Amino acid sequence: MAKNIRDIAKSAGVSVTTVSKVINNKPYVSPKTRARVEQIIRDEQFIPNHTARGLVKGKSKTIGMFLTTGLTHPFFSKVLVGLENALKNTGFDLLYLVQIDWNPEYSLVQHCMSRNVEGVLIFGFQKNDLNFEEIIQSDIPTIFIDLDFIGPHAGYVTSENIESIKTAVQYLYKLHHHKIAFVNGHLDSYVGKQRFEGYRRAIQELGLLYFPEYISFGDFTKESGYTAMTAFLQLKDRPTAVVCSSDMIALGVMEAAVEAGLSIPQDLSVIGFDDIEISQHTQPALTTIQQDFLTLGDQSILLLNDMINMPNSPPPALIVPTKFIIRNSCAICSQVVND
Amino acid sequence: MAKNIRDIAKSAGVSVTTVSKVINNKPYVSPKTRARVEQIIRDEQFIPNHTARGLVKGKSKTIGMFLTTGLTHPFFSKVLVGLENALKNTGFDLLYLVQIDWNPEYSLVQHCMSRNVEGVLIFGFQKNDLNFEEIIQSDIPTIFIDLDFIGPHAGYVTSENIESIKTAVQYLYKLHHHKIAFVNGHLDSYVGKQRFEGYRRAIQELGLLYFPEYISFGDFTKESGYTAMTAFLQLKDRPTAVVCSSDMIALGVMEAAVEAGLSIPQDLSVIGFDDIEISQHTQPALTTIQQDFLTLGDQSILLLNDMINMPNSPPPALIVPTKFIIRNSCAICSQVVND
DNA sequence: TTGTAGGCGTTATCAC
DNA sequence: GTGATAACGCCTACAA
């Protein structure tokens, strides 16, 4: 059933060497011979065996991928589409490496090496989830998504987080908001840290006062948005605008506000992050920062591919731009402003 | 750097055979020798090379997976978590096989064979997306998710679709609804067909009249729900309840209804399908059919594993139960009912 | 209980 | 231009 290069050689009446040359488009084979061999390959539906090829070449045409266990990243499938697009042009397949977390001797690097993967993608983790040091220092090309590790053969790709939040805060400031709250996700996540930094800087650069009560940390969910807004409403001087670290948070914030009798955007302006599908359909439609997940995935593979082909190139650090989508959840601040 | 079995043999002062036996837990090795070799393996951080092993054994400890191009399945990441759980106990890694769709000679089976995958998972496709016949007839163990193909070594896993929809319709009937509409997804998708069949049967078994105007086909999105409901509202005898083939559809239906001045559930009862996160937070919270994506993923791997280990077992066809979640989007029909 | 040698399917080196 | 043949790292008869 399964044919090999020797069968083809026999059928064509040539040596395996010649067949190999044909398969790999190498020179030193006469046009006639090449044509004949190619014909036979087609007839017999022969495909060279990756495994054997991998063994002799030490490569596998495979990129490994580690995901966080029990994957919670809500946009993984979108990133995957980007990965797939880029992968199609490279000839790589993508091997999802299953971490054996109950084995204390388990090692990412060894897993990669035993599988001969040519590069690795690491996604969905926080910095302390695993010991990444080993792989960062290894010579396996590695790209982290949303985690800013850099090593001799390791780089990262992430969305523009700091500037995006700054843009949002500045936008609200232009609408005369001075009491701008921020509802973040986990502060121990990379994106959480970055976005908080964006908020901090914006407040500072605009000369606004920094109120710790205006800052809330949660977990990117609707619930944590609801909780945060509920707390803001207890304040004697509540914020007039809220920047959120995810659209889900924004939904929770809006719900709590509406339940408390506020109308949006008249009484409260809200900005989200991500631009999930539902955000265009909320009442009012949510102003938000759109992440470009496709590009995130796409570029991860392209950069990895470059690292594989040019092992001595410097490690990449790519910030993918976001897009500020203005809808109807923000309005000019209704409170009197003293300038 | 990369060690091999021969290095270990040398360090341990034994032959490669002995090392191989130790690695594979085979008998005929003295306890002392075994201990010594194991120690060295640990010290040198040796891991046997999958590729070489795959070559000689014709197996790869790899399960292949085909996803639809530009993956649109909204719950893929949940299914993936299930896959991962089961995978951890099997020692398989999961190879995402990238289809080269611009190559007319591309063949799923050949891709699998060249990669030596031991089994294949096929997910997110509709029946005519690709020529699956070849792989169904091949002797590569194959599991389809949400696609009812059966072959000598091919089976499938899917959620309970027919009975779920029947349950929903029956529930509405008990609330005295007789004018029950159905907003479906694509009829050419497997789940679309099944769910429509469930609706048809329920209507028939309950002795209700079948109104073609009460049935709408769309694409599982909120928009298609909105469109469908808008059309229902034009009818002179509009439905009093709507069963939807996805929660997103249900959201669209509710939006259109509310905009038209109806209140839910007083004037219109709505049931969704999937139980996405947002459904607990809608106003009112959505009654829906919860899919068990984790089990879907989990069982796919377990069944595949069985097929790999017992090639002669009959092909599986597993229907994963759903759960009817009653929230607040349904009420007793307000229209007078003639019995 | 241990070791030797051949082979898995392919590529690469070097003669012819 | 073409064809033997030795790797690649591992497993497994078979011999010792």
Side-chain angles (χ1 to χ4, degrees):
Chain A
M1 185 65 234
K3 319 193 177 316
N4 63 30
I5 200 174
R6 247 181 320 258
D7 298 328
I8 302 299
K10 204 165 296 172
S11 301
V14 297
S15 73
V16 294
T17 310
T18 304
V19 177
S20 179
K21 282 177 188 156
V22 171
I23 292 169
N24 296 288
N25 281 314
K26 296 243 170 119
Y28 303 118
V29 51
S30 76
K32 295 164 208 160
T33 313
R34 187 180 296 271
R36 182 157 41 97
V37 172
E38 278 172 344
Q39 186 56 50
I40 300 215
I41 287 177
R42 207 156 316 159
D43 291 349
E44 315 238 337
Q45 306 215 57
F46 167 75
I47 284 211
N49 181 302
H50 261 96
T51 310
R53 190 179 275 183
L55 181 58
V56 49
K57 309 238 298 190
K59 315 194 159 194
S60 57
K61 276 318 213 175
T62 304
I63 286 178
M65 175 172 67
F66 288 105
L67 297 178
T68 188
T69 297
L71 176 76
T72 52
H73 195 289
F75 310 112
F76 171 65
S77 44
K78 291 189 186 177
V79 176
L80 184 60
V81 174
L83 297 177
E84 179 191 32
N85 285 347
L87 245 13
K88 274 192 205 292
N89 303 315
T90 61
F92 287 105
D93 284 320
L94 188 65
L95 184 64
Y96 175 26
L97 300 160
V98 179
Q99 310 155 56
I100 309 300
D101 34 26
W102 40 259
N103 179 353
E105 303 195 3
Y106 176 80
S107 144
L108 300 184
V109 172
Q110 289 188 33
H111 197 165
C112 290
M113 300 214 323
S114 88
R115 286 291 192 173
N116 276 344
V117 302
E118 299 187 45
V120 197
L121 226 53
I122 301 185
F123 184 34
F125 291 94
Q126 301 179 13
K127 285 209 167 183
N128 298 320
D129 282 348
L130 285 173
N131 177 16
F132 293 115
E133 201 51 39
E134 188 191 13
I135 198 153
I136 293 167
Q137 296 305 332
S138 79
D139 51 8
I140 304 172
T142 305
I143 288 283
F144 290 88
I145 301 184
D146 280 353
L147 215 49
D148 63 336
F149 283 120
I150 287 281
H153 301 279
Y156 67 90
V157 176
T158 181
S159 278
E160 173 57 83
N161 287 297
I162 297 183
E163 288 303 321
S164 300
I165 293 288
K166 281 180 64 178
T167 302
V169 174
Q170 285 159 0
Y171 172 75
L172 290 167
Y173 184 79
K174 284 198 196 109
L175 293 174
H176 304 299
H177 289 276
H178 287 191
K179 300 172 192 161
I180 303 172
F182 179 51
V183 185
N184 202 353
H186 306 281
L187 191 54
D188 47 349
S189 77
Y190 170 73
V191 298
K193 273 204 199 64
Q194 294 285 299
R195 293 175 193 176
F196 180 54
E197 179 64 14
Y199 172 77
R200 210 190 50 69
R201 286 196 204 166
I203 291 296
Q204 183 180 333
E205 290 173 14
L206 292 170
L208 295 175
L209 282 176
Y210 177 92
F211 285 116
E213 304 82 40
Y214 282 0
I215 293 154
S216 176
F217 295 101
D219 57 2
F220 296 108
T221 63
K222 184 165 175 179
E223 282 76 14
S224 76
Y226 188 94
T227 308
M229 188 64 217
T230 305
F232 291 155
L233 288 169
Q234 314 290 329
L235 265 35
K236 56 177 176 295
D237 196 19
R238 71 158 177 87
T240 60
V242 183
V243 174
C244 306
S245 209
S246 78
D247 282 359
M248 287 308 286
I249 291 177
L251 296 189
V253 165
M254 288 167 77
E255 186 169 308
V258 167
E259 280 182 14
L262 301 184
S263 31
I264 298 171
Q266 293 78 8
D267 304 323
L268 184 79
S269 291
V270 180
I271 298 183
F273 204 114
D274 289 338
D275 193 29
I276 60 180
E277 196 192 344
I278 200 93
S279 301
Q280 1 181 351
H281 301 296
T282 51
Q283 283 301 337
L286 183 65
T287 290
T288 191
I289 295 151
Q290 182 181 67
Q291 291 204 68
D292 186 353
F293 295 109
L294 234 103
T295 299
L296 222 52
D298 189 82
Q299 289 298 316
S300 299
I301 294 297
L302 294 183
L303 289 175
L304 210 42
N305 195 41
D306 286 350
M307 292 169 84
I308 291 167
N309 294 327
M310 302 174 299
N312 295 320
S313 56
L318 178 68
I319 309 284
V320 177
T322 58
K323 207 161 142 188
F324 190 51
I325 309 279
I326 298 181
R327 297 207 182 93
N328 309 316
S329 62
C330 296
I332 292 179
C333 183
S334 59
Q335 295 188 9
V336 181
V337 179
N338 328 308
D339 288 82
Chain B
M1 184 64 233
K3 318 194 179 316
N4 62 31
I5 199 175
R6 243 177 330 250
D7 297 328
I8 303 299
K10 203 165 297 171
S11 301
V14 298
S15 74
V16 294
T17 311
T18 304
V19 177
S20 178
K21 282 178 187 156
V22 171
I23 293 170
N24 298 287
N25 281 312
K26 295 247 170 112
Y28 303 119
V29 131
S30 76
K32 295 164 208 159
T33 314
R34 187 180 296 273
R36 184 157 38 97
V37 173
E38 278 172 345
Q39 187 56 48
I40 302 219
I41 285 178
R42 206 155 318 159
D43 291 350
E44 315 239 339
Q45 306 216 58
F46 168 74
I47 283 211
N49 181 302
H50 262 94
T51 309
R53 191 178 275 185
L55 182 58
V56 49
K57 309 240 298 190
K59 314 194 159 194
S60 57
K61 277 318 219 174
T62 303
I63 286 178
M65 176 173 64
F66 288 105
L67 297 178
T68 190
T69 297
L71 178 75
T72 52
H73 195 290
F75 310 112
F76 171 67
S77 45
K78 292 190 184 172
V79 175
L80 184 60
V81 174
L83 297 177
E84 178 191 33
N85 285 347
L87 245 13
K88 275 192 204 297
N89 303 315
T90 62
F92 286 105
D93 284 320
L94 188 65
L95 184 62
Y96 175 27
L97 299 159
V98 180
Q99 310 153 55
I100 309 301
D101 34 26
W102 41 259
N103 180 352
E105 303 194 2
Y106 176 79
S107 144
L108 300 183
V109 173
Q110 289 188 32
H111 197 165
C112 290
M113 301 213 324
S114 88
R115 286 290 193 175
N116 277 345
V117 302
E118 299 187 44
V120 197
L121 228 51
I122 301 186
F123 184 34
F125 291 93
Q126 302 181 10
K127 286 209 167 184
N128 299 319
D129 281 349
L130 285 173
N131 178 16
F132 293 116
E133 201 51 38
E134 188 192 13
I135 199 154
I136 293 166
Q137 295 306 331
S138 80
D139 50 8
I140 304 172
T142 305
I143 288 283
F144 290 88
I145 300 183
D146 280 353
L147 215 48
D148 63 337
F149 282 119
I150 287 281
H153 301 279
Y156 67 90
V157 177
T158 180
S159 279
E160 174 57 82
N161 288 296
I162 296 183
E163 288 303 321
S164 300
I165 293 288
K166 281 180 64 177
T167 302
V169 174
Q170 285 158 2
Y171 173 74
L172 291 169
Y173 183 79
K174 285 199 195 107
L175 293 174
H176 304 301
H177 289 275
H178 287 191
K179 299 172 193 160
I180 303 173
F182 180 51
V183 185
N184 202 355
H186 306 281
L187 192 53
D188 48 349
S189 79
Y190 170 73
V191 298
K193 273 204 201 64
Q194 294 284 300
R195 293 174 193 175
F196 180 54
E197 179 64 15
Y199 173 77
R200 211 189 49 69
R201 285 196 203 168
I203 292 295
Q204 183 181 336
E205 290 173 14
L206 292 170
L208 295 175
L209 282 177
Y210 176 91
F211 285 115
E213 304 82 41
Y214 282 2
I215 295 154
S216 176
F217 297 101
D219 57 2
F220 296 108
T221 63
K222 184 166 175 181
E223 283 77 14
S224 76
Y226 188 94
T227 308
M229 188 65 216
T230 305
F232 291 155
L233 289 169
Q234 313 292 329
L235 265 35
K236 56 177 175 294
D237 196 21
R238 71 158 177 87
T240 61
V242 183
V243 174
C244 306
S245 209
S246 78
D247 282 0
M248 287 308 286
I249 290 177
L251 296 190
V253 165
M254 288 167 76
E255 186 169 308
V258 167
E259 281 182 13
L262 302 184
S263 31
I264 298 172
Q266 294 78 6
D267 305 324
L268 184 78
S269 291
V270 180
I271 298 183
F273 204 114
D274 290 337
D275 192 29
I276 61 180
E277 195 192 345
I278 199 94
S279 301
Q280 1 181 351
H281 301 297
T282 51
Q283 282 303 337
L286 183 65
T287 291
T288 190
I289 295 152
Q290 182 181 67
Q291 291 204 68
D292 186 353
F293 295 108
L294 234 102
T295 299
L296 222 53
D298 190 82
Q299 290 297 315
S300 300
I301 294 297
L302 294 184
L303 290 176
L304 210 42
N305 196 40
D306 287 349
M307 293 169 83
I308 291 167
N309 294 328
M310 303 173 299
N312 295 320
S313 55
L318 178 68
I319 308 285
V320 177
T322 58
K323 206 162 144 188
F324 190 51
I325 310 278
I326 298 181
R327 298 206 181 94
N328 309 315
S329 62
C330 298
I332 293 180
C333 184
S334 58
Q335 294 189 8
V336 181
V337 179
N338 327 309
D339 287 85

